């Protein structure tokens, strides 16, 4: 019933006396008219603030996990604000480099890096390669023997798995990622890496999950890793990403600063030397809250005694998270951002699937065909996971700052949809 909580909006979001929402000094409903819908709109200051918070909390070396949201503008922004960039494929590496990120500020991840991806990384001189398997050690040793000596971290599977509100100790680890601590693979891997004459082992890495609200999950991760790590006497410990963000009313996520403070305290308590670079790689917590999605309402269908369906001009092609994970979102009308929202509705997309839901149980003011609807906190894993399903062109990405709206990725066109087809 209540108007939308401000906690779900970008920090710079302002609701004027007339009830209209603006982000980065741009009236959102007007912007939708100008650039069309659907669209991803980011508060650029929010992105920058989160990057700065991460650098100030973790120190130099903290990396933005590009898979949450990447385009050239985002890569440059994160780099300008002092973050390294985490990439997990040759494609992400290409975009980050094209965004002007110096190769030594890149961290390369992936459980199945190809020979080509590794060769490109070595040639470019990426700062860190996070080694994930014995096969990869073979490949790297073969490739590196003819060139420079890359700095590598060993990815360890700590046997801790965290989900939104809890973590589980998984014992023997059933994972495609990393070297298991429990099976002894971790010991063998660091043994091999530390003896390598062509690879420079600088630290260990672990990642326990995503959308994690409890910082004690990370404390537990450090507890599991501490003895193993300390015995190696290495200079870097990367605890991965995964800090959660609020998507719906009532959720409360720790800040990046609280996350870092908790982890660093645990490191101190567990005797990890002070001069070790303890770092992390947040993705979602940098990008999610800065972004909102704009849609236009097309059809409204009231099924008596059942529910009201509000159909918008996007859907699972620009936000597959509700389909993939059953994720919840909020929605509101940016022309009346402080209005009560008395009407329950299901907001659905335009795809040929009954499961094409954006918000399963939305509360809205009084939506009419033609209205613009906003879903907040869609800055991470939305654009990044977008597809052309049903031939729907992918939305543009707009950065708003100080009254200026900058198109950083244009809308896909129908011509784009056939551009790669053989003539
Ligand atoms: C996905 C991922 C991240 C980022 O996770 P977020 O939940 O977006 O913070 C960081 N590191 C690794 C290795 C990942 O796979």
């Amino acid at each position: 019933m209540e108007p939308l909580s401000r906690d779900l909006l970008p920090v710079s979001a302002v609701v004027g006396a007339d009830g209209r929402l603006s982000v980065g000094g741009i009236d959102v409903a007007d912007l939708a008219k100008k650039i069309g819908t659907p669209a991803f709109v980011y508060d650029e200051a929010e992105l920058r603030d989160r990057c700065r918070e991460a650098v100030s909390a973790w120190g130099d070396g903290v990396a933005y996990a590009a898979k949450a949201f990447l385009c050239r503008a985002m890569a440059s922004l994160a780099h300008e604000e002092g973050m390294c960039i985490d990439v997990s494929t040759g494609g992400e590496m290409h975009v980050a480099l094209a965004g002007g990120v110096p190769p030594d500020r890149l961290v390369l991840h992936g459980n199945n890096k190809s020979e080509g991806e590794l060769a490109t990384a070595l040639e470019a001189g990426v700062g860190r390669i996070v080694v994930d398997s014995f096969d990869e050690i073979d490949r790297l040793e073969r490739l590196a023997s003819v060139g420079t000596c890359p700095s590598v971290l060993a990815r360890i599977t700590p046997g801790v798995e965290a989900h939104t509100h809890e973590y589980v100790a998984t014992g023997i680890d059933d994972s495609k990622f990393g070297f298991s601590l429990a099976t002894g693979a971790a010991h063998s891997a660091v043994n091999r890496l530390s003896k390598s004459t062509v690879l420079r082992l600088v630290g260990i890495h672990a990642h326990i999950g995503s959308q994690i609200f409890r910082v004690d999950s990370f404390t537990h991760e450090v507890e599991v890793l501490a003895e193993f790590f300390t015995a190696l006497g290495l200079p870097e410990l990367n605890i991965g990403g995964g800090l959660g963000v609020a998507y719906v009313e009532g959720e409360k996520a720790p800040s990046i600063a609280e996350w870092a403070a908790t982890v660093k305290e645990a490191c101190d308590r567990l005797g990890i030397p002070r001069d070790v670079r303890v770092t992390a790689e947040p993705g979602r917590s940098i990008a999610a809250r800065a972004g909102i999605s704009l849609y236009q309402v097309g059809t409204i269908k009231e099924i008596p005694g059942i529910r009201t369906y509000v159909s918008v001009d996007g859907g699972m092609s620009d936000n597959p998270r509700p389909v993939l994970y059953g994720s919840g979102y909020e929605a509101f009308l940016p022309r009346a951002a402080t209005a009560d929202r008395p009407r329950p509705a299901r907001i659905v997309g335009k795809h040929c699937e009954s499961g094409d839901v954006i918000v399963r149980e939305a509360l809205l003011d009084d939506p009419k065909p033609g209205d613009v609807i906003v879903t907040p906190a869609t800055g991470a894993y939305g654009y990044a996971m977008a597809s052309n399903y049903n031939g729907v062109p992918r939305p543009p990405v707009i950065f708003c700052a100080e009254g200026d709206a900058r198109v950083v990725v244009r809308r896909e066109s129908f011509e784009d949809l056939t551009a790669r087809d053989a003539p």
Side-chain angles (χ1 to χ4, degrees), residues 4 57 121 142 160 170-171 203 284 349 399 412:
L4 185 87
R142 207 161 52 236
V160 178
T170 55
R284 190 190 309 272
F399 279 11
E412 225 167 14

Side-chain angles (χ1 to χ4, degrees), residues 2 8 26 28 33 46 48 116 129 196 217 226 239 266 298 345 383 393:
E2 297 282 296
L8 297 174
I26 298 287
V28 167
K33 256 191 219 124
E46 169 91 22
R48 290 188 186 278
I129 297 175
S196 172
S217 311
I239 60 107
Y383 175 75

Side-chain angles (χ1 to χ4, degrees), residues 65 67-68 86 109 155 177 205 207 209-211 240-243 259 281-285 381:
K67 75 174 195 261
D86 230 59
H109 276 280
R155 177 157 177 171
F177 294 109
H205 172 283
H207 174 76
S210 198
Q211 185 55 359
L243 183 64
W259 178 40
E281 41 195 28
R284 190 190 309 272
S285 53
Y381 303 105

Side-chain angles (χ1 to χ4, degrees), residues 107-234:
V107 182
L108 179 64
H109 276 280
N111 68 300
N112 186 24
K113 305 175 192 77
S114 70
E115 192 125 349
E117 286 171 326
L118 290 172
T120 307
L122 291 174
E123 204 172 307
V126 308
R128 299 281 183 277
I129 297 175
V130 181
V131 176
D132 202 283
S133 66
F134 292 107
D135 286 332
E136 187 181 337
I137 299 179
D138 293 341
R139 280 196 277 275
L140 264 179
E141 289 212 299
R142 207 161 52 236
L143 290 164
S145 58
V146 291
T148 50
C149 182
S151 296
V152 304
L153 286 87
R155 177 157 177 171
I156 307 301
T157 318
V160 178
E161 199 181 357
H163 303 285
T164 299
H165 294 294
E166 90 275 44
Y167 63 78
V168 282
T170 55
I172 302 290
D173 330 15
D174 183 359
S175 169
K176 71 169 183 171
F177 294 109
F179 301 99
S180 159
L181 207 51
T183 65
H187 292 81
S188 320
V190 297
N191 216 353
R192 246 192 92 180
L193 287 168
S194 53
K195 284 191 193 122
S196 172
T197 53
V198 291
L199 306 175
R200 194 159 65 96
L201 179 66
V202 297
I204 70 165
H205 172 283
H207 174 76
I208 57 168
S210 198
Q211 185 55 359
I212 302 165
F213 280 100
R214 286 181 51 176
V215 286
D216 63 346
S217 311
F218 298 97
T219 308
H220 189 65
E221 176 189 0
V222 177
E223 282 164 0
V224 169
L225 293 173
E227 195 184 317
F228 174 75
F229 175 75
T230 311
L232 299 170
L234 294 171

Side-chain angles (χ1 to χ4, degrees), residues 4 39 109 147 161 256 258 277 346 350 352 354 374 401 415:
L4 185 87
H109 276 280
E161 199 181 357
I256 293 173
E258 287 163 346
R277 177 156 106 175
R346 178 162 293 175
K350 64 183 284 138
C352 307
S354 297
V374 166
E415 290 70 41

Side-chain angles (χ1 to χ4, degrees), residues 25 74 99 115-116 121 139 167 169 279 285-286 297 335 341 360:
M74 182 60 201
E115 192 125 349
R139 280 196 277 275
Y167 63 78
T279 195
S285 53
I286 299 286
V297 175
R335 65 166 166 79
R341 298 179 296 153
R360 191 161 292 279

